[in-house]
Amino acid sequence: MTTARRAVVATAALLAAGVLAGAGAPPAQADRNHQRDVHPHLRSNLVAFYDFDHPVEGDAALERDQGRSGTEIELVNGGPDMRVAEHAYPGSGNALQTRQVNPAAAGNDDWKAGIWSASGVRTLRAFSGVEGTTVMGWFKREMDGPALNSTTGNPADRFNAIGLAGVLTGDSDGHGVRALLELIDVNGELRLVALGRRLDGGNSQTFAASEDWRTLLPKGEWVHLAATFDFTTGAMALYRNGQPVDGFYTRTDDPWLVSGPGPHVTTASDPRGIKIGGSFPQDTLERNPCDCRMDALMFLDSVASATDVEKQYRYMAR
């Protein structure tokens, strides 16, 4: 089934369930039994959670959401083959494999995951007008740097980033984000970052890790990463294996416009989706592919405290 066809089927299913009927429609219920992997302190704010052990019945290229939103995502281009039997942490099942497929061709065949809708994804409304967001999960890189740029004629040109996971803005073309974990060039050096945007069409802010990205995310090693975004104050943070990561803001002005009277929240628009392992989950363009494995990706509608991030890491690594 094509991406476009899946979008039609998914929308029809949501309409039938009443999910798109309005703001008061009840969210879909997750597989509560599998929240054994989620620390109790985080469960009430867990909007979306993907462990890649729950294919949708009848279409294994779709993954069920184990959070409260019921937002299915697509395993783009690779389908069921993107689920690989590897344990990121004790008790985990499959992991997700993302990768660049053909760097020499300007095609749309990279393995990535996510969801996109031009009208916004209703089930992700928790991220509309929200005060804070957290993105976290397990990641294992299998590349030495950004991939070759498949969209240019220069055979030596490379992308400037490696996409991990994030929530899109309400006006996103499939690339622009509200909250994102990624590796990106900062002043000529690749760095692990949290990149966020409070207002649709507004400026982004980046919190970049000071330590070398290869130390923070060693090749071939599973690492738990988290990024938090406090849209009320402009504060951001990064965590690795439950511990805060030292870093710096790439802008010293007020890109989120939080210095004036509040309250300061994100734009009141439904995000256009989630992107995982690269941009454009609607599969119209290739950008920032990640030759990586990922597992237990969590998207929360709150700023997880440093204590709770550590508790979540230890809860899974126990």
Side-chain angles (χ1 to χ4, degrees):
M1 188 182 294
T2 66
T3 300
R5 174 60 179 155
R6 284 197 180 91
V8 170
V9 171
T11 300
L14 290 171
L15 284 167
V19 174
L20 297 181
Q29 297 298 308
D31 179 354
R32 295 298 177 187
N33 291 332
H34 206 72
Q35 288 207 3
R36 62 179 174 78
D37 287 338
V38 185
H39 192 278
H41 284 194
L42 299 182
R43 289 176 186 171
S44 62
N45 293 109
L46 187 64
V47 178
F49 172 32
Y50 305 102
D51 61 10
F52 307 103
D53 296 328
H54 291 83
V56 170
E57 186 176 356
D59 191 348
L62 297 177
E63 178 71 18
R64 287 173 52 202
D65 178 8
Q66 302 306 297
R68 72 173 191 263
S69 77
T71 306
E72 296 171 357
I73 58 172
E74 182 180 356
L75 310 188
V76 181
N77 292 314
D81 291 341
M82 295 171 65
R83 292 186 187 89
V84 293
E86 182 167 353
H87 307 304
Y89 56 94
S92 71
N94 294 322
L96 174 73
Q97 174 75 59
T98 62
R99 64 183 177 92
Q100 185 177 56
V101 173
N102 187 357
N108 291 309
D109 52 8
D110 287 350
W111 286 14
K112 51 193 171 184
I115 183 173
W116 186 87
S117 170
S119 59
V121 178
R122 165 65 182 88
T123 53
L124 296 176
R125 186 161 291 179
F127 297 111
S128 168
V130 74
E131 293 184 346
T133 298
T134 299
V135 178
M136 68 171 70
W138 291 86
F139 302 89
K140 185 173 81 167
R141 74 171 173 98
E142 300 174 314
M143 58 199 307
D144 296 317
L148 289 169
N149 191 335
S150 58
T151 68
T152 70
N154 183 352
D157 188 27
R158 291 185 178 272
F159 292 106
N160 75 333
I162 300 170
L164 297 179
V167 178
L168 301 177
T169 60
D171 60 354
S172 179
D173 61 354
H175 181 66
V177 290
R178 224 164 248 179
L180 174 69
L181 257 173
E182 75 171 347
L183 298 154
I184 194 170
D185 185 292
V186 176
N187 299 324
E189 285 189 62
L190 198 68
R191 293 187 183 274
L192 174 67
V193 308
L195 189 152
R197 180 177 286 100
R198 185 173 76 86
L199 302 173
D200 289 357
N203 293 319
S204 65
Q205 174 66 291
T206 301
F207 181 78
S210 300
E211 194 167 1
D212 190 287
W213 69 280
R214 290 158 294 198
T215 302
L216 294 170
L217 201 59
K219 188 175 182 179
E221 180 179 321
W222 281 106
V223 175
H224 187 264
L225 299 176
T228 62
F229 307 80
D230 188 335
F231 296 111
T232 66
T233 65
M236 305 161 73
L238 284 168
Y239 299 87
R240 178 188 185 274
N241 288 348
Q243 298 301 307
V245 174
D246 290 336
F248 58 94
Y249 294 98
T250 61
R251 295 183 61 151
T252 57
D253 56 350
D254 183 22
W256 287 359
L257 304 180
V258 296
S259 60
H264 302 298
V265 296
T266 61
T267 298
S269 60
D270 294 343
R272 285 191 173 179
I274 289 172
K275 66 176 185 177
I276 298 167
S279 293
F280 302 99
Q282 70 270 42
D283 206 24
T284 56
L285 189 65
E286 296 175 341
R287 187 175 300 176
N288 304 338
C290 184
D291 288 359
C292 305
R293 293 190 174 186
M294 310 180 190
D295 200 2
L297 300 182
M298 301 182 181
F299 303 87
L300 289 78
D301 61 352
S302 66
V303 178
S305 67
T307 299
D308 283 345
V309 172
E310 182 177 14
K311 285 179 178 178
Q312 176 59 42
Y313 167 69
R314 295 189 180 281
Y315 193 74
M316 301 181 91
R318 65 192 187 281

